[in-house]
Amino acid sequence: MKQKILVTGGTGYIGSHTTVELQNSGYDVVIVDNLSNSRIDVLDGIEKITGIRPEFEQFDLADQDMTDLFFKKQTDISAIIHFAAFKAVGESVENPLKYYRNNLFSLINLLECMTRYSTACLVFSSSCTVYGQPEILPVNENAPVQPAISPYGNTKQVSEEIIRDTLFVSGKLRAISLRYFNPVGAHPSSLIGELPIGVPNNLVPVITQTAIGIREQLKVFGSDYNTPDGSCIRDYIDVVDLAKAHVIAVKRLLEQKNRQALEFFNLGTGKGVSVFEVISTFEKATGVKVNYTVTGRRAGDVEQVWADTRLANSELGWKATTSLSETLRSAWNWEVYYRKYLEKSR
Ligand code: UFG
């Protein structure tokens, strides 16, 4: 019999790609999402790619009663991948309690239900933001967690602590916290991808929206950093590569191959790329020019960060394989496909 995985936030960007990979690997998926930052038609895309429509329930995991009711009904969940969370850094500074309520209450409710209903395995969606500006690059999992710059970042740090403390007393629960670097790109089918609602904050959606003419100009936030070309450096990881790591993490927990109750893994490519390099790689990969200008630094940006991926490579047997050109091409193809789709469905 197939094992069933609960994917919270499964209609979101990384959640939808992970659902595809789970289904392609023979797992059943039930998605819980309140659709606060995603669309229901993402399920159509998942179904077109995999031939399977995942089970779906729409409710807010920050609601304790609804979450309990869900677990009461769903008695066959083997593991949980918890993506559901708000993720806009700027908004979290404006409205911290919205972020603390949503991101922390949902995790607490899940952990309580895991204990109550004997679901042992959790994969948590964390971020390289926990490292702040690391002193040593590439940064590995033993680097100190730095004071968070934003409430969003703090929810990731506190969530990791909540998981650690809960596991310490439970004796039964097992978890893997996956620290993502910068997820970009879309499924090669162009049937699912990133769907920023409103003005995007992240670099790649701004590039694709500028290239297609929705935005007039990309603003490069600072060219006076202490980096070879003066712009910030990040580790851009293809979303399908990232999704595959979740399937491996789930399997590791289910087969009890984890060495400790709580493990941390960096998910990146191991390569640092500057903002200017992303723009030029995009232009070469797609043949489309991006209109950009350099402006001042963005508050809260770290100068440079990229991952030491050796632990994920050796322990998970996982490696990012998609080139940046390929992933930026997939982001562009998705942008083109999605704009056409929106026009048709108007
Ligand atoms: N950038 C621009 N112009 C833009 C948008 C971004 O120049 O319009 C630059 C940023 O200054 C940064 C780089 O592109 O140098 C990447 O920016 P993103 O916003 O795409 O990504 P961040 O690295 O800032 O943020 C990511 C995740 C966050 C997480 C953070 C932690 O999106 O969720 O890493 O470092 F908190």
Side-chain angles (χ1 to χ4, degrees):
M1 215 181 79
K2 283 185 176 181
Q3 287 173 302
K4 191 193 270 190
I5 314 299
L6 163 59
V7 179
T8 78
T11 47
Y13 176 41
I14 308 171
S16 56
H17 289 81
T18 300
T19 298
V20 164
E21 296 307 319
L22 285 166
Q23 293 190 160
N24 283 345
S25 304
Y27 292 102
D28 276 336
V29 172
V30 53
I31 289 175
V32 170
D33 203 304
N34 64 0
L35 299 179
S36 63
N37 196 25
S38 61
R39 295 170 58 124
I40 190 70
D41 44 16
V42 169
L43 296 178
D44 299 335
I46 295 171
E47 187 176 0
K48 276 190 196 142
I49 297 168
T50 62
I52 304 163
R53 196 171 186 84
E55 223 182 308
F56 175 77
E57 292 225 21
Q58 182 180 353
F59 69 88
D60 191 341
L61 287 153
D63 182 325
Q64 195 176 6
D65 294 338
M66 291 294 289
T67 308
D68 189 80
L69 204 64
F70 171 82
F71 274 88
K72 216 173 252 159
K73 276 189 312 190
Q74 295 270 351
T75 50
D76 55 348
I77 291 171
S78 301
I80 300 168
I81 308 183
H82 182 41
F83 293 106
F86 292 149
K87 60 171 187 176
V89 176
E91 189 193 29
S92 79
V93 176
E94 304 284 316
N95 199 344
L97 292 182
K98 177 178 170 183
Y99 274 66
Y100 287 119
R101 174 181 291 279
N102 186 60
N103 294 6
L104 300 183
F105 281 19
S106 58
L107 175 68
I108 293 167
N109 290 339
L110 275 179
L111 287 166
E112 279 179 348
C113 285
M114 287 177 72
T115 309
R116 200 173 297 135
Y117 297 98
S118 305
T119 306
C121 305
L122 175 72
V123 176
F124 178 67
S125 170
S126 188
S127 164
C128 70
T129 190
V130 300
Y131 301 123
Q133 176 60 67
E135 274 179 26
I136 300 165
L137 288 167
V139 62
N140 71 31
E141 290 81 353
N142 296 322
V145 168
Q146 308 253 20
I149 295 165
S150 69
Y152 158 76
N154 204 28
T155 66
K156 292 297 173 194
Q157 297 188 0
V158 174
S159 292
E160 288 190 345
E161 288 171 11
I162 291 173
I163 295 169
R164 190 196 57 213
D165 293 345
T166 309
L167 265 53
F168 181 74
V169 289
S170 99
K172 284 198 184 121
L173 303 188
R174 304 186 289 281
I176 292 179
S177 185
L178 298 175
R179 292 172 172 169
Y180 314 148
F181 283 68
N182 288 56
V184 291
H187 195 267
S189 65
S190 300
L191 292 166
I192 53 171
E194 191 167 4
L195 273 178
I197 293 177
V199 182
N201 297 304
N202 295 120
L203 179 62
V204 172
V206 178
I207 288 180
T208 57
Q209 290 195 4
T210 307
I212 210 163
I214 296 170
R215 324 231 144 257
E216 209 183 310
Q217 201 170 42
L218 158 72
K219 291 187 174 67
V220 174
F221 297 136
S223 62
D224 56 350
Y225 285 97
N226 186 23
T227 58
D229 67 17
S231 66
C232 289
I233 293 179
R234 297 287 184 276
D235 184 337
Y236 295 91
I237 162 91
D238 181 79
V239 69
V240 176
D241 284 342
L242 191 73
K244 287 179 178 163
H246 292 74
V247 181
I248 297 171
V250 158
K251 205 160 176 267
R252 181 177 175 89
L253 289 171
L254 289 173
E255 292 175 358
Q256 304 201 22
K257 287 195 176 139
N258 51 307
R259 290 173 189 239
Q260 282 147 4
L262 175 58
E263 294 181 313
F264 301 91
F265 293 104
N266 283 346
L267 296 183
T269 64
K271 192 167 178 279
V273 179
S274 76
V275 176
F276 289 127
E277 285 171 331
V278 175
I279 298 170
S280 63
T281 308
F282 176 86
E283 290 181 335
K284 265 189 226 127
T286 62
V288 184
K289 284 268 160 227
V290 181
N291 179 23
Y292 70 87
T293 185
V294 176
T295 61
R297 294 182 177 195
R298 181 171 70 176
D301 269 342
V302 301
E303 182 171 271
Q304 44 189 323
V305 62
W306 65 96
D308 183 332
T309 62
R310 281 176 299 177
L311 192 66
N313 299 158
S314 63
E315 278 295 307
L316 299 180
W318 169 91
K319 202 172 183 341
T321 55
T322 312
S323 70
L324 185 61
S325 298
E326 228 175 301
T327 197
L328 292 175
R329 212 175 300 123
S330 72
W332 173 240
N333 290 342
W334 160 248
E335 183 73 58
V336 172
Y337 167 87
Y338 185 62
R339 294 302 145 190
K340 281 194 196 135
Y341 173 82
L342 282 185
E343 261 168 43
K344 259 197 272 164
S345 52
R346 228 177 251 148

